[in-house]
């Protein structure tokens, strides 16, 4: 359950977990690069397992993505703790890295995601996102783990 959200100094979500623990998620963007970092920190519990199922798209900012049967072109492990995916020929290669994680191929679509704000503006408001893999990483109280997503070489 979302307990708190703040935008300053960067987007931060605090989620209440069973037993009184908290999961803090912080989003940071690398200035001048097509890279983002999500930092996860467990507080108030000795340990927990974090499971992430990244949903991906490669599209123009004015378009929405729809499922297609032959996606992706590339979806494979990238080193010991990463995954890389290219949704179609000519698309950017997305590299996901999470130190300490075990990645498993997923290959499913989250379909018919309704975008309320787009609908209120009169635009197409339903899209599909692809999950290339699922990452599992152990969390320890107070020790952050960082997921990096980039299309940089």
């Amino acid at each position: 359950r979302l307990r708190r959200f703040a935008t300053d100094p960067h987007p931060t979500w605090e989620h209440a977990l069973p037993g009184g623990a908290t999961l803090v998620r912080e989003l940071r963007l690398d200035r001048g690069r097509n890279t983002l970092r999500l930092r996860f920190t467990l507080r108030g519990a000795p340990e927990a397992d974090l499971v992430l199922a990244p949903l991906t798209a490669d599209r123009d900012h004015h378009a929405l993505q729809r499922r297609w049967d032959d996606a992706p072109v590339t979806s494979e492990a990238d080193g010991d703790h990463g995954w890389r995916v290219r949704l179609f020929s000519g698309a950017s290669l997305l590299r996901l890295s999470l130190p300490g994680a075990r990645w498993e191929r997923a290959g499913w679509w989250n379909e018919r995601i309704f975008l309320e704000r787009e609908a209120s503006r009169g635009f197409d408001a339903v899209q599909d996102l692809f999950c290339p893999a699922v990452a599992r990483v152990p969390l320890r109280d107070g020790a952050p783990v960082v997921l990096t997503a980039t299309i940089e070489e």
Side-chain angles (χ1 to χ4, degrees):
R1 184 184 99 220
L2 183 62
R3 178 182 295 155
R4 187 171 89 77
F5 174 73
T7 58
D8 190 29
H10 47 266
T12 302
W13 297 258
E14 289 186 12
H15 300 273
L17 302 178
T22 301
L23 178 65
V24 178
R25 180 175 41 145
E26 300 169 88
L27 172 65
R28 297 187 184 198
L29 304 175
D30 288 6
R31 185 177 302 278
R33 300 192 59 187
N34 292 307
T35 302
L36 70 80
R37 298 176 199 285
L38 274 174
R39 184 167 85 171
F40 298 89
T41 307
L42 177 66
R43 294 191 179 140
E47 59 185 23
D49 287 328
L50 178 66
V51 180
L52 298 175
L55 299 174
T56 63
D58 193 318
R59 61 179 178 78
D60 177 270
H61 66 283
H62 290 298
L64 296 180
Q65 177 174 274
R66 300 281 195 233
R67 176 190 177 128
W68 66 94
D69 290 334
D70 54 350
V73 171
T74 302
S75 184
E76 61 194 10
D78 187 19
D80 290 338
H81 304 292
W83 200 267
R84 61 188 194 152
V85 60
R86 184 183 316 273
L87 290 178
F88 54 88
S89 181
S92 300
L93 180 66
L94 174 63
R95 300 176 79 123
L96 304 166
S97 175
L98 182 59
R102 291 185 335 271
W103 290 85
E104 297 174 18
R105 183 179 308 278
W108 48 265
W109 286 89
N110 189 345
E111 298 180 65
R112 295 179 295 281
I113 299 167
F114 181 69
L115 305 171
E116 187 173 326
R117 178 161 285 173
E118 297 301 300
S120 73
R121 295 175 179 160
F123 296 128
D124 187 11
V126 178
Q127 77 171 341
D128 304 330
L129 298 174
F130 182 73
C131 178
V134 173
R136 298 173 193 282
V137 64
L139 296 177
R140 303 286 177 256
D141 191 14
V145 298
V146 179
L147 170 71
T148 302
T150 186
I151 59 171
E152 300 286 337
E153 292 295 321

